[in-house]
Amino acid sequence: MTQDQARTALLLGILALLSLVPAGVALRRARASGDWDLTSTMILLVGGLASLPTVVYVIHTGRPERLDPLGEVEIGFPQWVNQIGTASNALLLASLAVFFVHRLFGERARVNSAPLIALALVLLLAFSDGLHGQQPFAPRQLVLVAALLAAAVARPGRSALLGGAAVVLLFTVLSGAEAIIQPATVLRECRTDNPCGVLGILYPGVFTNENIFSLLLVAGIPFVWLGLRGRVRFLLACYVAFVAVATGSKLGAVSAVVVLAFLVLLRPALPDEAGAPDPVASPGRVLFALPVLGGAAAIGLLVPFHHPGSDTLGDRATIWDMARDELSRSPLIGFGGKTWSGKYQAGEIPAAVSPSLHNQWIDTLYAGGLVGLLLFLLLLVHLLARGGVPGLPVTASVLLPVLLTSVLERPWSFGISNALTFALLVATITPVRVPRAGPVVSGERPRSLVGSRGAV
């Protein structure tokens, strides 16, 4: 690590600590407005506990590379980290079960349909796992099932977005604090095959690599913009976008800039917010938002099947071709959520490409077949349609980071719970409808559907 890189890491750490001031103001305002509730806490728990083993490992060990007998970098963690993962999964399962029972029977919450569509896709992958010799319903898959069931009875709207914003701000602050205490821990070595970013560093923070951190940050920019109240949210959204650029991930940097520009131009706002756009004016925003979403989705779907080759895309092009050639063996239900990662254990693929196929569309098609791809499309359409025309700017803002990063990564996992599961949950319970105007009793504040305790 050079002196310039150490100074850059220190600067990122100072900015993270300074961000605590506006973040504290925003969160205090959220509590005063009654925005924070059990749904926010559930999202924070899912985001925090899912990444706990990684955070502990990075802070404790400083991300040393472990090599197998052939000299290849091993994936996975030492046994003591896996034990932390087992404990965090057990705690998360218990917490999600309590949340589900309390919301369904204690508060008699309505059931949200979007998480159930995602759950159907998860169950399809588990069924396909069993048919192809993989263990269905492993612990992290059970956590994903429990998380989607919890989302099905969660409170939609601002509280979920607020929980997602808290997860993102938590990890920016943790990464910044670690950058001050031990800067070498939060930086990765720049190499010819993995060059430095625009700030001259690779900054994965408290995660294992910069791609994971950047995906979390990019997904969280709309959560910060929509979940928080007041002008401070714009400052924090810009800060999160800056950190995504600072990670050194090219996809993360481009996506962060595009998402932030999209938010500035679209100006999405929840219906319970003063100054929210009038429903009559929303069609103009729809004409802007839908082509952007459609273009990002079309590129993501077509790239694995019509790409420029490995000279441009490296290993991604190779694994896309490999997966495409295998699809004819199980076109309807795919191969399950664990078959692809199992190829690493069999020595068929390198460690770097074993977690996923690095494209949401072909990853879903490979794991769930045509049925899985149709369920994924149904989920996207349902999310866009549920809020109607007035609610589409909000949903479009949440989905754009997913569709942009889906071109070269897989932001949503339907096979296991991971660091981005919280973002999937927030997206499935974000859509809201603009409340109908009703009579207001003198001296009484009107309550919107988003601000009410019950589900929409």
Side-chain angles (χ1 to χ4, degrees), residues 22-34:
V25 171
L27 291 176
R28 281 198 302 271
R29 180 177 296 175
R31 290 189 64 86
S33 303

PDB file of all heavy atoms in Angstrom, residues 22-34:
ATOM      1  N   PRO A  22     -25.164  14.121   9.429  1.00  0.00           N
ATOM      2  CA  PRO A  22     -26.449  14.152   8.714  1.00  0.00           C
ATOM      3  C   PRO A  22     -27.243  12.868   8.868  1.00  0.00           C
ATOM      4  O   PRO A  22     -28.473  12.911   8.912  1.00  0.00           O
ATOM      5  CB  PRO A  22     -26.045  14.379   7.255  1.00  0.00           C
ATOM      6  CG  PRO A  22     -24.628  13.935   7.167  1.00  0.00           C
ATOM      7  CD  PRO A  22     -24.024  14.242   8.499  1.00  0.00           C
ATOM      8  N   ALA A  23     -26.553  11.718   8.976  1.00  0.00           N
ATOM      9  CA  ALA A  23     -27.277  10.459   9.165  1.00  0.00           C
ATOM     10  C   ALA A  23     -28.015  10.452  10.503  1.00  0.00           C
ATOM     11  O   ALA A  23     -29.166  10.002  10.600  1.00  0.00           O
ATOM     12  CB  ALA A  23     -26.311   9.280   9.087  1.00  0.00           C
ATOM     13  N   GLY A  24     -27.351  10.976  11.545  1.00  0.00           N
ATOM     14  CA  GLY A  24     -28.008  11.053  12.845  1.00  0.00           C
ATOM     15  C   GLY A  24     -29.206  11.968  12.826  1.00  0.00           C
ATOM     16  O   GLY A  24     -30.261  11.662  13.407  1.00  0.00           O
ATOM     17  N   VAL A  25     -29.082  13.110  12.136  1.00  0.00           N
ATOM     18  CA  VAL A  25     -30.210  14.034  12.007  1.00  0.00           C
ATOM     19  C   VAL A  25     -31.375  13.358  11.289  1.00  0.00           C
ATOM     20  O   VAL A  25     -32.539  13.459  11.717  1.00  0.00           O
ATOM     21  CB  VAL A  25     -29.771  15.305  11.249  1.00  0.00           C
ATOM     22  CG1 VAL A  25     -30.981  16.173  10.922  1.00  0.00           C
ATOM     23  CG2 VAL A  25     -28.759  16.095  12.066  1.00  0.00           C
ATOM     24  N   ALA A  26     -31.071  12.652  10.195  1.00  0.00           N
ATOM     25  CA  ALA A  26     -32.119  12.006   9.409  1.00  0.00           C
ATOM     26  C   ALA A  26     -32.810  10.896  10.197  1.00  0.00           C
ATOM     27  O   ALA A  26     -34.039  10.762  10.158  1.00  0.00           O
ATOM     28  CB  ALA A  26     -31.525  11.438   8.120  1.00  0.00           C
ATOM     29  N   LEU A  27     -32.032  10.106  10.942  1.00  0.00           N
ATOM     30  CA  LEU A  27     -32.634   9.007  11.691  1.00  0.00           C
ATOM     31  C   LEU A  27     -33.447   9.517  12.876  1.00  0.00           C
ATOM     32  O   LEU A  27     -34.485   8.936  13.222  1.00  0.00           O
ATOM     33  CB  LEU A  27     -31.540   8.038  12.154  1.00  0.00           C
ATOM     34  CG  LEU A  27     -30.861   7.248  11.017  1.00  0.00           C
ATOM     35  CD1 LEU A  27     -29.721   6.394  11.563  1.00  0.00           C
ATOM     36  CD2 LEU A  27     -31.871   6.368  10.279  1.00  0.00           C
ATOM     37  N   ARG A  28     -33.005  10.596  13.510  1.00  0.00           N
ATOM     38  CA  ARG A  28     -33.808  11.175  14.599  1.00  0.00           C
ATOM     39  C   ARG A  28     -35.126  11.707  14.057  1.00  0.00           C
ATOM     40  O   ARG A  28     -36.182  11.557  14.682  1.00  0.00           O
ATOM     41  CB  ARG A  28     -33.021  12.296  15.297  1.00  0.00           C
ATOM     42  CG  ARG A  28     -31.983  11.822  16.282  1.00  0.00           C
ATOM     43  CD  ARG A  28     -31.554  12.935  17.228  1.00  0.00           C
ATOM     44  NE  ARG A  28     -31.019  14.084  16.519  1.00  0.00           N
ATOM     45  CZ  ARG A  28     -29.743  14.240  16.180  1.00  0.00           C
ATOM     46  NH1 ARG A  28     -28.881  13.295  16.486  1.00  0.00           N
ATOM     47  NH2 ARG A  28     -29.342  15.326  15.551  1.00  0.00           N
ATOM     48  N   ARG A  29     -35.081  12.319  12.889  1.00  0.00           N
ATOM     49  CA  ARG A  29     -36.309  12.809  12.276  1.00  0.00           C
ATOM     50  C   ARG A  29     -37.230  11.646  11.924  1.00  0.00           C
ATOM     51  O   ARG A  29     -38.460  11.749  12.053  1.00  0.00           O
ATOM     52  CB  ARG A  29     -35.971  13.616  11.019  1.00  0.00           C
ATOM     53  CG  ARG A  29     -37.182  14.188  10.302  1.00  0.00           C
ATOM     54  CD  ARG A  29     -36.755  15.023   9.110  1.00  0.00           C
ATOM     55  NE  ARG A  29     -35.979  16.191   9.521  1.00  0.00           N
ATOM     56  CZ  ARG A  29     -35.398  17.026   8.666  1.00  0.00           C
ATOM     57  NH1 ARG A  29     -35.478  16.808   7.370  1.00  0.00           N
ATOM     58  NH2 ARG A  29     -34.730  18.072   9.115  1.00  0.00           N
ATOM     59  N   ALA A  30     -36.641  10.538  11.484  1.00  0.00           N
ATOM     60  CA  ALA A  30     -37.441   9.365  11.135  1.00  0.00           C
ATOM     61  C   ALA A  30     -38.161   8.813  12.364  1.00  0.00           C
ATOM     62  O   ALA A  30     -39.335   8.440  12.298  1.00  0.00           O
ATOM     63  CB  ALA A  30     -36.552   8.288  10.513  1.00  0.00           C
ATOM     64  N   ARG A  31     -37.450   8.760  13.477  1.00  0.00           N
ATOM     65  CA  ARG A  31     -38.093   8.267  14.702  1.00  0.00           C
ATOM     66  C   ARG A  31     -39.172   9.228  15.182  1.00  0.00           C
ATOM     67  O   ARG A  31     -40.239   8.805  15.633  1.00  0.00           O
ATOM     68  CB  ARG A  31     -37.044   8.058  15.794  1.00  0.00           C
ATOM     69  CG  ARG A  31     -36.095   6.887  15.526  1.00  0.00           C
ATOM     70  CD  ARG A  31     -35.235   6.592  16.744  1.00  0.00           C
ATOM     71  NE  ARG A  31     -36.058   6.153  17.856  1.00  0.00           N
ATOM     72  CZ  ARG A  31     -36.428   4.892  18.061  1.00  0.00           C
ATOM     73  NH1 ARG A  31     -36.078   3.951  17.196  1.00  0.00           N
ATOM     74  NH2 ARG A  31     -37.143   4.573  19.107  1.00  0.00           N
ATOM     75  N   ALA A  32     -38.912  10.521  15.068  1.00  0.00           N
ATOM     76  CA  ALA A  32     -39.905  11.503  15.492  1.00  0.00           C
ATOM     77  C   ALA A  32     -41.151  11.457  14.615  1.00  0.00           C
ATOM     78  O   ALA A  32     -42.258  11.727  15.093  1.00  0.00           O
ATOM     79  CB  ALA A  32     -39.291  12.910  15.457  1.00  0.00           C
ATOM     80  N   SER A  33     -40.990  11.101  13.351  1.00  0.00           N
ATOM     81  CA  SER A  33     -42.122  11.022  12.420  1.00  0.00           C
ATOM     82  C   SER A  33     -42.834   9.674  12.482  1.00  0.00           C
ATOM     83  O   SER A  33     -43.828   9.470  11.784  1.00  0.00           O
ATOM     84  CB  SER A  33     -41.642  11.279  10.989  1.00  0.00           C
ATOM     85  OG  SER A  33     -41.002  12.527  10.873  1.00  0.00           O
ATOM     86  N   GLY A  34     -42.317   8.757  13.278  1.00  0.00           N
ATOM     87  CA  GLY A  34     -42.931   7.430  13.369  1.00  0.00           C
ATOM     88  C   GLY A  34     -42.621   6.544  12.179  1.00  0.00           C
ATOM     89  O   GLY A  34     -43.310   5.546  11.939  1.00  0.00           O
TER      90      GLY A  34
END
